[in-house]
Every structure is written in structure tokens, then in C-alpha cells.
Amino acid sequence: MKTGASPIPFAGSQLDEARHVCAFFNSADEEYRVLLPFIKDGFECGDKAVHVVNPDQRRDHLRRLAAVGIDPTATQQSGQFELRTNTEAYLRDGRFDQDRMLGVFEQLASGNAKGGFPLSRIVCHMDWAAEGRSYVDNLVEFESRVNDVWRRHDDAVICVYDLAKFGGDTVVDIMRTHPMIIIGGILQQNPFFVPPEEFLRELRERRAGQTTPATAA
């Protein structure tokens, strides 16, 4: 639940009330340069860490954590750190179920997560959605809907996107579903954010227009 937690320093700025962030990067090195100080600070503050990574990224991710003084084994054993792959997290049984994922994130949220941690810092790599158009369409809707979860909690949620893997239209929609954004390595309030009620209405209208048969001239 929302308790008015202290601001979190991050990427040249800070996370205050709005903490659902889309983070766009051009390379893994750029990504970790920006994210690792935030991740390390979370461990030192005693926050829960949940990282969702690409399956082939797991070993490199653990190596990068260890390089900044984080002990992945010890923190996993203590329950402070959870590491999952994005395919097992988002694509259970080979499909993306928005309602299931809303429930998963509600369980990870502050006040609900096991262990009594003050809040969760969740970092999710979203490359799985680039594998198919249906995934992208569902993801954009989900990213808007999940704001209803995070507006009730103090947790920081960073959705990591590789700019090389998503088309321009998708990037624009993703931007419009996050109140905060990292681009060029800097965190800022997102001027393109559209509240869920408005965005989801627009999305329904867009989809209805795509499925309406063309009338004969």
C-alpha cells in the first residue's frame, strides 16, 4: 500500500510518487551503467529486488551484480533477491495472460511480498514481447492497466526496452503508458504519459477501427 516512502535517487533525478518507469537503452553497457547504482542502493536499503531477465542474459546479469559488490547467492538465500527469466514470468504455458500478470505483480508489491521488505525494486527486461505482434498488442494494454497496481504502492518498477528490438509505433505506445521515462540515461517525468482510463479507451477505439469491414464506395 502507499505510505509516502522517501524519494529514491535514480539516473540523475529521483523517483517520488510515480514509480512506473519505461527505460530505453541502445546497449547492455548503457543499461547497466544506469541501472546498477539504483539496484545496489536498493540492496543496501534493505528493499526486495526482483529481476526478470532474458534467458540468455542470466549469467551475465549475475556477473554484473557481483562486480559491484552484490552477493547474488547470499541475497537469494535470504529472500531479498529473486531472479526470473522473462519467458517463464510472462509467457507461462507459452502465452501472455494479462490478468495473471496483474495478480503476480500485486503479490510482489509492498505490503504483500514475503519477507516484510519495505518495498520492492522490480527490473523487467521486456524483449520477449518483440517476438510477435500479438505479444506487443497485449503488452501495450497491460502496461497501461498495471498502472492501477503501482499507483497503490511505493514500489519502483523499471521496464527495460532495447530500442533496436521495437518499432517506432510500439515505442510511442510504450512511452504513453509510463508516467516516468529514462531516455539518454536520464530519468524524467514523461510528458507523453496518458492515464490508463484514457489510453485504454483509445486502444479499444483503435482496435474497433481495425476490425470494421470497409464499406463499398
Side-chain angles (χ1 to χ4, degrees), residues 46-49 75 78-81 109-111 113-120 155:
D47 295 336
K48 174 91 173 183
T75 50
S78 72
Q80 185 181 15
F81 177 38
S110 52
K114 296 177 181 178
F117 297 97
L119 57 87
S120 298
D155 310 282

